[in-house]
Amino acid sequence: MVKQRTVVGAHYGLKDWIAQRATAVYMAAYTIIFALCAFSLRELNYQEWSGLFSHGLFKFLSFLFFLSVFYHAWIGIRDLWMDYIKPNGVRLALHLVTIFVLVGYAGWAAQILWRL
Amino acid sequence: MSEVTARKPRPKYLALNEIRLPLPGIVSILHRISGVGIFLMLPFLLYLLDRSLGSPETFETFAAVVDNWFIKLVLFGLLWAYLHHFCAGIRFLLLDLHKGLELEEARKSSKIVLIVSLTLTLIIGVVLW
C-alpha cells in the first residue's frame, strides 16, 4: 500500500485555481470601491463620470479590474469547454477563440481608459 | 480486460427534466449561467463604457442607448447576473475555506445567496432605472 504519494507535475491546475480565486477577491473589492465612488457622484453626467475615471489611481484600479475579469473569464470559459465539448479539435478551436477575444478586450479596455 | 476486472455498466440517470436539483445545485448552475451571460455581453458592456467615456457627444449616445426599455431590461438581467455571481462567488470562497460545509448550513447559505442577490438587483435596478 502506498502511504505517501509524491505530488508531481507542473501545477497548472493549482495555478489556475488560485488565479481564479485571487482575481475574484480583487474584483469583489473593486466592486465595492466602484459602487461607493459611483453613488457618491453628484449627478451622472459626462464631467462627473469621466472625472472619476481620469483619476490616476482609479484608472489603475479599473484596469486591474478588467484584467481580472478577462483572466477570470478565461479560466471559467475554459472549464466550460472542457466540461461540454469533447472533440479535441473543436475544443482547441474554442480555447483559441476565447483567448483571442479576451486579449482583444484587454487592449480595448486599455484604450478606453488611457484616452482620458 | 479480463472478466474479473470487467465492470458492470454504470447506472446513468441524466433525464435533465426529471432531476430535481437541490438549492445549492441551483445556486451553482446559476453561477455558471450568469458567468456565461456576462462573458457573452462583454463586448456590449465595453462598447457602453467606451461611449460613456469618449466625449460629451458620445456620452449622449451612451445615454440614448441605455434609455431604451429593451436595453434597460438586458442591463437589469446583467445586473442580476453580476450580483448573483458576486454573492455565489463569496459563498464558494467560504466553502473553499471549509466554512459552511454542513448540509444544513450549505442549504441556508444558498438560500441567502439567492435572496440577497435578487434583493440587491431590485434595489439597485430601481435606483438606476
Side-chain angles (χ1 to χ4, degrees):
Chain A
M1 203 175 97
V2 183
K3 288 214 172 105
Q4 262 192 331
R5 192 169 63 101
T6 317
V7 181
V8 291
H11 305 300
Y12 293 128
L14 178 68
K15 194 195 83 182
D16 285 343
W17 189 88
I18 291 174
Q20 193 174 37
R21 277 141 188 88
T23 51
V25 169
Y26 178 74
M27 288 187 287
Y30 177 87
T31 302
I32 306 289
I33 297 171
F34 171 80
L36 290 176
C37 292
F39 279 108
S40 65
L41 293 179
R42 274 171 302 232
E43 58 171 318
L44 194 58
N45 58 28
Y46 179 72
Q47 294 307 327
E48 293 274 320
W49 180 244
S50 64
L52 174 61
F53 283 92
S54 308
H55 191 280
L57 179 62
F58 196 77
K59 195 180 285 192
F60 175 77
L61 295 178
S62 300
F63 188 59
L64 217 53
F65 170 76
F66 282 116
L67 292 185
S68 296
V69 170
F70 302 144
Y71 195 7
H72 191 89
W74 156 242
I75 299 167
I77 299 298
R78 187 208 57 181
D79 287 353
L80 193 81
W81 301 141
M82 294 202 301
D83 282 350
Y84 304 131
I85 308 294
K86 298 306 173 190
N88 277 325
V90 182
R91 188 192 284 180
L92 177 66
L94 287 168
H95 280 191
L96 290 176
V97 169
T98 309
I99 293 174
F100 290 157
V101 295
L102 288 171
V103 171
Y105 292 162
W108 192 6
Q111 188 245 350
I112 292 171
L113 289 169
W114 269 278
R115 207 176 32 187
L116 286 168
Chain B
M1 209 184 278
S2 71
E3 273 177 59
V4 186
T5 53
R7 287 187 208 159
K8 282 189 285 181
R10 293 160 69 193
K12 278 188 182 174
Y13 188 73
L14 289 172
L16 287 176
N17 52 332
E18 286 178 46
I19 290 177
R20 222 185 120 263
L21 216 50
L23 220 45
I26 293 174
V27 167
S28 175
I29 192 64
L30 286 177
H31 191 73
R32 174 160 281 196
I33 291 170
S34 57
V36 170
I38 295 168
F39 171 74
L40 290 176
M41 293 306 278
L42 278 176
F44 179 62
L45 292 170
L46 281 167
Y47 162 78
L48 285 183
L49 185 74
D50 178 71
R51 292 298 88 190
S52 74
L53 288 173
S55 68
E57 289 75 37
T58 62
F59 187 86
E60 289 306 313
T61 316
F62 158 78
V65 171
V66 298
D67 201 38
N68 180 293
W69 68 269
F70 178 71
I71 302 289
K72 272 189 182 173
L73 215 60
V74 170
L75 290 175
F76 198 75
L78 278 172
L79 179 67
W80 169 80
Y82 192 90
L83 289 167
H84 178 83
H85 210 85
F86 181 96
C87 294
I90 289 173
R91 177 172 175 273
F92 288 138
L93 285 173
L94 290 174
L95 291 177
D96 284 343
L97 298 171
H98 300 277
K99 300 227 187 305
L101 287 178
E102 295 305 315
L103 189 58
E104 271 317 302
E105 290 174 316
R107 281 188 184 142
K108 203 171 139 197
S109 63
S110 45
K111 201 179 279 180
I112 294 173
V113 165
L114 289 171
I115 293 172
V116 169
S117 55
L118 280 171
T119 313
L120 278 176
T121 307
L122 269 181
I123 295 172
I124 302 175
V126 166
V127 168
L128 291 179
W129 197 288

